[in-house]
Amino acid sequence: METLQKWNRSKGIIWLSSAVIGFFCLVLNAMTPYIADDYAYMVSFYDQQWVRTLGDVARSMYRHCFIMNGRVIPHALEQIFLLMPKMVFNLANALVITGLLYGMYRIAQGKGERNGALFLGIAMAFWRYLPAFGQVMLWQVGALNYVWALSAMLLFLWPFLSWFMDRESMNWSLWKKILFSAGAVLFGMYTEIASFIGVFTAVMLLLVGWLMDRRKWERHGRWLWIPLGLACVGYVILLKMPAELAAKQGSFAIGKLLENIVNVTKMMETYQLYLLLVWACLMIIGAALQADGRRLLLSLILLVGGLGANYMLIVASYIPERCLYVSTMLFVLACAVALQALLEMDRPALRIGCLCLGGVLAALFCFSLIPGTYDVYHTYRQFQQREEELKQYKAEGETEVVTLELIYPATKYSAFWGTKFLDTQTYDTWPNNYMAAYYGVRILGK
């Protein structure tokens, strides 16, 4: 037992876990082809020509603000990555996912001893409970809009979280504060949900921290209002993009808002109920046993941030599963923070209970790992077969519209889950028209 505990607390297990997670994500990304919008972003929105240079990207994004939405940063990254081989994005995305999970672990760990099991638990919970996993984590344009937004959000919140948990840790040099403040503007511009909830959570951390200890606030926390304000500026810029409100705003009628509240609540029950139940149990046990109050308070703030991420969707015109990505991350992180608060109490009964919880999570993870991974592989093989058919049609000089079988994913882990592969009615509409331009063959789904 002592040997296992020593290994669990070593740097080696963290590095090994990170390497395994990174390699696994790289394999999944390699088995995820371009889908739907990826083909559309190969073409400039400015003049409908192929994007070939960074100048083309700039002109395309300028037009994008008028006809699509205001998320210039992730979509500019999309067009930049499309200038390079797919493997470049695969590597970058695997690193971002691994970095996100490691960052969540570091926040949960705090100043406690290393805990490889906690790191793996966070990764397994994210795999198990993230809705539309393939869309959020593997689909190229989706990953740049969602999982990269989560990573940017975690980087933005890092100094706020650090100040909240350890007031003496924020003695940054001036150049770091300037660089972080400039980056805060870009974070505010990144995407609607993650940027807003990042700012919202930062405000909660500052206000609660100020109420708890005003003196240390005066010495170390005051400057954080500068990047917070600049992030708000960036968010206003995002909302002021000409196409943004028209693209995202739903109805503010009371009936529609109430309907969306019900829909969001049902989605939470469907996808996040177990996370919320685990969090409630951990918090009740922690409060009853007088665990670290600051950690429990941080866990509560993260949970409120997750609830805010869900219920801000009530003003949206539609609510797809992938929009729960921010709340899922915050709920997983809230559970991990509360769990670490219990582990730090060093009570054998608590450790046994936490081990049982980890064992249940590991079992659930294993039951979804094999079919999920196979589904990513299977849909990739289906795509390769469709692609070979297209190449054969082109080689034979086929000029009429050709029909391809649709791709049928079985789980949320495939990026084809919930995304549109081909239209079955019209060949000259999205995404058929962009795929036709890419492959040189007009296509219709069947």
Side-chain angles (χ1 to χ4, degrees):
M1 180 63 74
E2 290 184 2
T3 301
L4 288 176
Q5 290 180 351
K6 184 178 179 181
W7 175 243
N8 186 52
R9 296 170 181 171
S10 67
K11 286 184 178 180
I13 188 63
I14 303 299
W15 282 104
L16 178 61
S17 300
S18 298
V20 171
I21 291 171
F23 179 74
F24 179 63
C25 292
L26 178 61
V27 171
L28 293 181
N29 272 278
M31 293 190 296
T32 303
Y34 295 132
I35 305 172
D37 281 349
D38 291 326
Y39 295 102
Y41 280 92
M42 294 177 183
V43 176
S44 172
F45 291 91
Y46 181 76
D47 56 10
Q48 291 299 298
Q49 300 298 312
W50 295 110
V51 174
R52 302 188 186 281
T53 67
L54 293 178
D56 292 339
V57 173
R59 286 186 288 271
S60 177
M61 287 299 100
Y62 171 77
R63 182 61 179 163
H64 188 276
C65 296
F66 289 89
I67 63 175
M68 296 297 291
N69 57 58
R71 279 178 271 134
V72 175
I73 296 175
H75 290 123
L77 289 172
E78 162 77 343
Q79 293 200 311
I80 291 170
F81 275 115
L82 288 170
L83 294 174
M84 298 177 278
K86 178 69 161 53
M87 182 54 68
V88 177
F89 169 77
N90 295 342
L91 287 167
N93 198 48
L95 288 173
V96 168
I97 295 172
T98 306
L100 171 67
L101 296 173
Y102 179 73
M104 293 171 66
Y105 158 72
R106 284 292 306 276
I107 291 170
Q109 175 201 13
K111 287 191 172 182
E113 294 179 328
R114 296 186 192 93
N115 190 337
L118 180 64
F119 181 30
L120 291 174
I122 290 172
M124 289 188 291
F126 215 68
W127 168 272
R128 177 73 186 184
Y129 293 108
L130 179 67
F133 184 95
Q135 290 184 38
V136 173
M137 306 287 273
L138 304 177
W139 181 26
Q140 180 161 314
V141 71
L144 290 167
N145 275 274
Y146 305 121
V147 71
W148 286 51
L150 292 181
S151 300
M153 177 179 168
L154 213 60
L155 287 173
F156 174 74
L157 286 176
W158 197 276
F160 297 91
L161 291 162
S162 179
W163 175 82
F164 182 83
M165 294 303 299
D166 179 18
R167 307 303 172 81
E168 303 298 333
S169 66
M170 293 310 302
N171 296 320
W172 283 10
S173 59
L174 180 60
W175 73 268
K176 287 184 179 180
K177 292 179 179 179
I178 293 174
L179 184 62
F180 178 74
S181 298
V185 180
L186 298 179
F187 168 70
M189 294 175 59
Y190 202 91
T191 190
E192 298 88 348
I193 302 175
S195 296
F196 179 84
I197 295 303
V199 170
F200 175 62
T201 306
V203 169
M204 286 193 291
L205 290 168
L206 289 181
L207 291 179
V208 174
W210 176 76
L211 291 173
M212 293 176 66
D213 194 339
R214 300 185 185 186
R215 183 173 299 178
K216 288 187 176 180
W217 156 261
E218 293 294 331
R219 293 210 309 266
H220 300 288
R222 185 183 297 175
W223 78 272
L224 288 172
W225 285 106
I226 297 174
L228 182 62
L230 290 173
C232 292
V233 171
Y235 194 71
V236 170
I237 293 173
L238 169 66
L239 295 182
K240 289 294 184 180
M241 295 292 184
E244 182 62 27
L245 289 177
K248 294 298 178 185
Q249 182 174 297
S251 172
F252 284 91
I254 296 298
K256 183 61 176 177
L257 292 177
L258 292 175
E259 179 184 340
N260 280 347
I261 289 173
V262 172
N263 291 336
V264 169
T265 303
K266 287 182 177 179
M267 292 177 71
M268 287 175 59
E269 181 181 12
T270 301
Y271 299 108
Q272 299 171 330
L273 177 61
Y274 293 114
L275 286 176
L276 295 173
L277 290 176
V278 168
W279 177 86
C281 291
L282 292 172
M283 289 293 285
I284 291 171
I285 295 171
L289 297 179
Q290 297 183 336
D292 184 347
R294 190 176 290 273
R295 278 195 167 277
L296 296 182
L297 189 56
L298 174 59
S299 180
L300 177 61
I301 290 172
L302 294 170
L303 182 96
V304 172
L307 293 174
N310 281 343
Y311 283 102
M312 70 176 291
L313 297 172
I314 65 173
V315 299
S317 55
Y318 68 103
I319 310 174
E321 296 172 343
R322 61 179 177 266
C323 288
L324 300 184
Y325 73 108
V326 175
S327 59
T328 301
M329 184 200 77
L330 290 175
F331 290 161
V332 170
L333 188 53
C335 289
V337 169
L339 180 64
Q340 182 66 11
L342 297 183
L343 292 174
E344 288 179 352
M345 298 185 72
D346 198 22
R347 294 194 178 193
L350 281 179
R351 289 188 174 275
I352 292 173
C354 292
L355 284 173
C356 291
L357 179 63
V360 171
L361 176 60
L364 293 172
F365 168 75
C366 290
F367 279 120
S368 60
L369 176 65
I370 295 174
T373 304
Y374 175 75
D375 193 36
V376 174
Y377 165 76
H378 183 58
T379 51
Y380 180 55
R381 291 292 298 147
Q382 291 182 57
F383 173 82
Q384 286 183 314
Q385 293 171 5
R386 310 299 186 270
E387 190 174 48
E388 287 301 319
E389 290 180 39
L390 285 175
K391 291 178 180 179
Q392 184 64 30
Y393 282 128
K394 186 175 182 179
E396 294 173 355
E398 181 66 58
T399 58
E400 299 299 321
V401 177
V402 301
T403 57
L404 295 179
E405 291 283 350
L406 300 181
I407 292 176
Y408 298 99
T411 70
K412 67 176 184 177
Y413 298 100
S414 170
F416 288 96
W417 178 273
T419 56
K420 188 175 182 179
F421 176 55
L422 283 172
D423 193 279
T424 59
Q425 303 297 322
T426 309
Y427 69 87
D428 59 353
T429 190
W430 173 90
N432 304 45
N433 52 347
Y434 290 104
M435 286 187 67
Y438 182 78
Y439 288 105
V441 180
R442 289 184 295 178
I443 316 168
L444 193 65
K446 66 175 180 179

